[in-house]
């Protein structure tokens, strides 16, 4: 049992809270009818807290250098990670709750009962301030009730205050159908509020060493949440838009007003410079353009509710022997090639949540993921871990280029054991040497010598091997160098900015110089790289 909440306890709370949310993920998803009946609140909360835990793990041994206490530093890391990984309405609000909690305790010498109560009050205030039009009967109501119960405990006993806060949240959760007609019609409690109760129960367990004995809310009685009615007003808007935004406080204040006029379910939270923006609209372009005017939007995601509800209604259960492949693609042409191979395609630079959604949408019990970029491999691994907890076996083949993924997909054989098939795909990808051609954007010193802006760079396996002035000459010289080490098949993927006829001229060069080598050329459509090359 703990007398104060220290940094180690914060880390245990985050880890145990994430584990508890994962255990209750399906239950919370099934409760999800407001503000959108998309059945993903549990998943969004898990992904949000996963990002928080990753932020803590990356900074495990670092001591605070900002004047904050160790526990305050840990709480700020947790809140920052949650903000950057927040998904959906509840995830964004949870990130603001954690931020308010962290701000209140950052400089506190010790966290006892009254400090915890004050922090919960600040967290509730921050959550309400983040929502343009707060609605009672939601996560907001539950966090406010937790704060009130903690304050009424009026003691420095950390354990007593944590228990009272969790109990107050549970009682408020049970009353949410009385406050929100959509919940009453569906026969459920609020999904986001249930998630917060799970987190507060995890805090009680960390502080007291005891797990609160609380029955889970009853499941929906009549219909699946994907067909439940949304709260009045929400059906008028067809899209959910969410993005991170680098902007000033003044710009964000103007953005709030503009987005409020475009739609509903507006939530904007931030930690001083970086903001997470969430809104439901019909005009997606206007919502994104408003962000461009306010600052620098990035990690933009758009969800059409009709597609999401239909997918939830029709998604099959994983088949015992079902298999699928999920592939990350840059460029329309590359995406078409992967789709033709029967793969599920995810756009470039996906989040863990986007990859997890793609894995689940396949309906398969065994899935192989091809990230096609070194920077996406860690995201793919995180998505694979989450999928394992949902009962889906996922293997990540660490492809670093689309040409390696094409080689891997070409050897798939459903007659083999899944594990053997993954090994064969990994071997095929590893046997495919890859290269890319691009233009230098700035002066630099490479392993092939100095380059200047505008120079043509040929990178083989990620390293600059050639620097040239002419695109075609550099491409043919690069292919010659790769084929000098052997090869029977050359794959060419032309980029969006490639000059007309580039692939044909490279093909002609190979046919003249290497008559026994087969060449396959496709329009890849990838940005930045006029040509991608694979040699097998």
């Amino acid at each position: 049992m703990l007398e104060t909440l220290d940094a180690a306890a914060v880390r245990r709370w985050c880890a145990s809270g994430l584990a508890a949310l994962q255990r209750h993920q399906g239950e919370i998803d099934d409760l999800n009818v407001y503000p959108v009946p998309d059945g993903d609140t549990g998943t969004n909360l898990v992904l949000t807290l996963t990002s928080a835990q990753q932020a803590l793990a990356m900074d495990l041994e670092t001591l605070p250098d900002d004047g904050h206490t160790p526990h305050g530093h840990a709480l700020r890391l947790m809140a920052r990670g949650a903000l950057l990984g927040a998904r959906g309405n509840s995830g964004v609000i949870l990130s603001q709750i954690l931020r308010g909690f962290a701000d209140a305790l950052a400089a506190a010498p010790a966290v006892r009962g009254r400090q915890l109560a004050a922090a919960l009050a600040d967290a509730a205030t921050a959550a309400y301030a983040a929502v343009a039009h707060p609605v009672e009967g939601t996560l907001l109501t539950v966090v406010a009730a937790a704060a009130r119960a903690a304050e009424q405990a009026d003691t420095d006993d950390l354990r007593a205050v944590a228990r009272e806060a969790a109990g107050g949240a549970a009682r408020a959760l049970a009353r949410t159908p009385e406050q929100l007609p959509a919940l009453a019609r569906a026969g459920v409690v609020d999904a986001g509020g249930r998630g917060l109760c799970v987190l507060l129960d995890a805090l009680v367990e960390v502080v007291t060493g005891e797990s609160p004995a609380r029955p889970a809310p009853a499941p929906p009685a009549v219909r699946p949440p994907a067909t439940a009615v949304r709260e009045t007003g929400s059906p008028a808007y067809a899209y959910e838009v969410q993005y991170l935004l680098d902007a000033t406080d003044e710009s964000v204040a103007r953005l709030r007003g503009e987005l409020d006029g475009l739609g509903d379910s507006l939530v904007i939270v931030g930690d001083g410079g970086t903001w997470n923006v969430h809104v439901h609209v019909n005009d997606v372009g206007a919502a994104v353009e408003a962000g461009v005017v306010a600052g620098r939007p990035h990690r933009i995601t758009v969800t059409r509710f009709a597609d999401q509800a239909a997918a939830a209604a029709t998604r099959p259960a994983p088949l015992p022997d079902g298999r699928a492949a999920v592939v990350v693609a840059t460029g329309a042409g590359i995406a078409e090639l992967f789709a033709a191979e029967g793969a599920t395609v995810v756009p470039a630079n996906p989040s863990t949540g986007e990859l997890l959604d793609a894995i689940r949408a396949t309906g398969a019990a065994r899935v192989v993921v091809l990230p096609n970029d070194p920077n996406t491999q860690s995201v793919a691994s995180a998505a694979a871990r989450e999928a394992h907890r949902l009962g889906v076996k996922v293997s990540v083949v660490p492809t670093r280029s689309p040409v390696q993924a094409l080689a891997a997909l070409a050897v798939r054989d459903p007659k083999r054991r899944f594990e053997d098939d993954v090994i064969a795909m990994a071997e095929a990808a590893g046997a495919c040497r890859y290269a890319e051609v691009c233009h230098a954007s700035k002066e630099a010193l490479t392993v092939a010598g100095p380059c200047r802006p505008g120079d043509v760079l040929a990178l083989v396996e990620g390293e600059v091997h050639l620097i040239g002035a002419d695109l075609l000459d550099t491409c043919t010289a690069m292919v010659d160098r790769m084929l000098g080490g052997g090869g029977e098949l050359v794959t060419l993927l032309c980029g969006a900015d490639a000059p007309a006829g580039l692939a044909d001229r490279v093909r002609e060069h190979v046919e003249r110089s290497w008559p026994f080598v087969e060449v396959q050329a496709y329009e890849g459509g990838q940005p930045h790289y006029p040509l991608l090359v694979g040699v097998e």
Side-chain angles (χ1 to χ4, degrees):
M1 294 187 291
L2 298 178
E3 299 293 335
T4 64
L5 190 71
D6 57 16
V10 170
R11 297 181 187 280
R12 291 200 302 276
W13 176 38
C14 188
S16 63
L18 175 57
L21 281 174
Q22 288 165 340
R23 290 195 301 272
H24 294 279
Q25 182 173 338
E27 169 207 324
I28 297 171
D29 279 345
D30 288 343
L31 294 172
N32 184 205
V33 299
Y34 180 85
V36 181
D38 48 10
D40 66 353
T41 292
T43 300
N44 286 339
L45 290 174
V46 165
L47 293 173
T48 300
L49 208 62
T50 295
S51 182
Q53 189 185 41
Q54 288 171 345
L56 281 170
M58 291 172 62
D59 203 77
L60 187 60
E61 301 298 335
T62 302
L63 294 174
D65 56 2
D66 50 9
H68 297 136
T69 59
H71 63 260
H73 181 64
L75 285 167
R76 282 192 176 276
L77 287 172
M78 184 176 173
R80 173 71 174 175
L83 170 68
L84 295 179
R87 299 297 294 265
N89 226 24
S90 295
V92 173
I93 295 173
L94 175 62
S95 74
Q96 191 70 350
I97 289 173
L98 292 175
R99 181 198 169 194
F101 198 83
D103 287 348
L105 297 175
V111 181
R112 296 186 174 87
R114 286 187 173 84
Q115 287 78 22
L116 177 62
L120 285 169
D122 284 4
T125 300
Y128 273 89
V131 180
H133 301 287
V135 175
E136 296 303 327
T138 65
L139 171 57
L140 298 175
T141 304
V142 176
V143 69
R148 284 194 301 272
E151 184 180 14
Q152 290 168 3
D154 193 24
T155 176
D156 278 330
D157 187 333
L158 180 65
R159 293 159 293 180
V161 172
R163 288 192 185 101
E164 286 301 313
R171 292 188 293 273
L173 177 68
R175 294 192 297 269
T176 54
E178 303 169 14
Q179 300 168 294
L180 198 57
L183 301 177
R185 288 193 293 267
V188 298
V189 296
D190 180 68
R194 173 60 176 150
L196 182 64
C197 287
V198 170
L199 283 179
L200 290 175
D201 282 345
L203 178 61
V204 171
E205 188 171 358
V206 167
V207 170
T208 67
E210 303 169 358
S211 180
R214 243 185 282 279
V222 180
R223 55 193 170 184
T227 60
V229 180
R230 272 192 279 184
E231 177 64 2
T232 302
S234 293
Y237 300 102
Y239 297 92
E240 177 188 58
V241 177
Q242 190 167 350
Y243 49 81
L244 294 180
L245 179 71
D246 297 334
T248 63
D249 292 1
E250 294 77 11
S251 297
V252 169
R254 292 191 294 269
L255 178 65
R256 287 182 192 275
E258 186 164 352
L259 291 182
D260 193 30
L262 290 175
D264 69 358
S265 293
L266 173 63
V267 183
I268 302 179
V269 301
D271 65 349
T274 302
W275 307 80
N276 197 314
V277 180
H278 173 282
V279 66
H280 297 171
V281 295
N282 287 325
D283 191 341
V284 173
V288 176
E289 287 171 8
V292 173
V293 172
R296 186 181 74 87
H298 50 108
R299 278 177 54 179
I300 301 169
T301 61
V302 178
T303 300
R304 193 168 81 103
F305 295 130
D307 294 341
Q308 200 168 37
T314 61
R315 183 183 300 139
L319 301 174
D321 297 318
R323 299 187 194 180
V326 173
V327 190
V328 179
T330 58
I334 294 175
E336 289 177 5
L337 289 172
F338 291 145
E341 293 288 340
T344 297
V345 180
V346 178
N349 195 31
S351 68
T352 301
E354 289 164 343
L355 274 178
L356 182 60
D357 288 344
I359 291 168
R360 295 177 67 188
T362 66
R366 297 175 178 85
V367 180
V368 62
V369 177
L370 307 172
N372 297 336
D373 178 1
N375 294 327
T376 307
Q377 288 183 20
S378 60
V379 175
S381 297
R385 290 192 295 271
E386 292 301 317
H388 275 291
R389 296 186 178 99
L390 299 176
V392 182
K393 185 172 185 177
V394 178
S395 293
V396 178
V397 175
T399 50
R400 302 169 70 87
S401 171
V403 293
Q404 289 187 316
L406 289 173
L409 291 172
V411 301
R412 277 200 302 171
D413 185 353
K415 296 178 182 178
R416 282 194 292 248
R417 290 174 61 248
F418 176 71
E419 293 78 6
D420 294 337
D421 209 27
V422 171
I423 292 172
M425 294 175 71
E427 289 175 345
C432 177
R433 287 168 287 145
Y434 68 93
E436 50 217 0
V437 178
C438 63
H439 289 90
S441 60
K442 60 183 179 181
E443 188 173 340
L445 183 62
T446 75
V447 294
C451 69
R452 300 180 179 227
D455 284 348
V456 182
L457 306 180
L459 293 83
V460 179
E461 308 282 338
E463 290 285 354
V464 177
H465 277 224
L466 294 170
I467 301 173
D470 181 80
L471 178 62
L472 177 61
D473 290 346
T474 306
C475 288
T476 55
M478 177 184 68
V479 173
D480 286 342
R481 179 169 293 197
M482 295 179 73
L483 287 173
E488 300 174 351
L489 172 64
V490 172
T491 302
L492 306 175
L493 297 178
C494 267
D497 300 327
L502 176 64
D504 290 337
R505 297 178 70 181
V506 175
R507 181 207 297 271
E508 293 168 359
H509 170 80
V510 174
E511 290 174 346
R512 286 195 309 269
S513 304
W514 307 89
F516 300 107
V517 174
E518 180 184 353
V519 181
Q520 296 178 344
Y522 307 97
E523 290 297 326
Q526 71 274 4
H528 312 306
Y529 296 98
L531 190 68
L532 299 179
V533 179
V535 173
E536 301 174 56

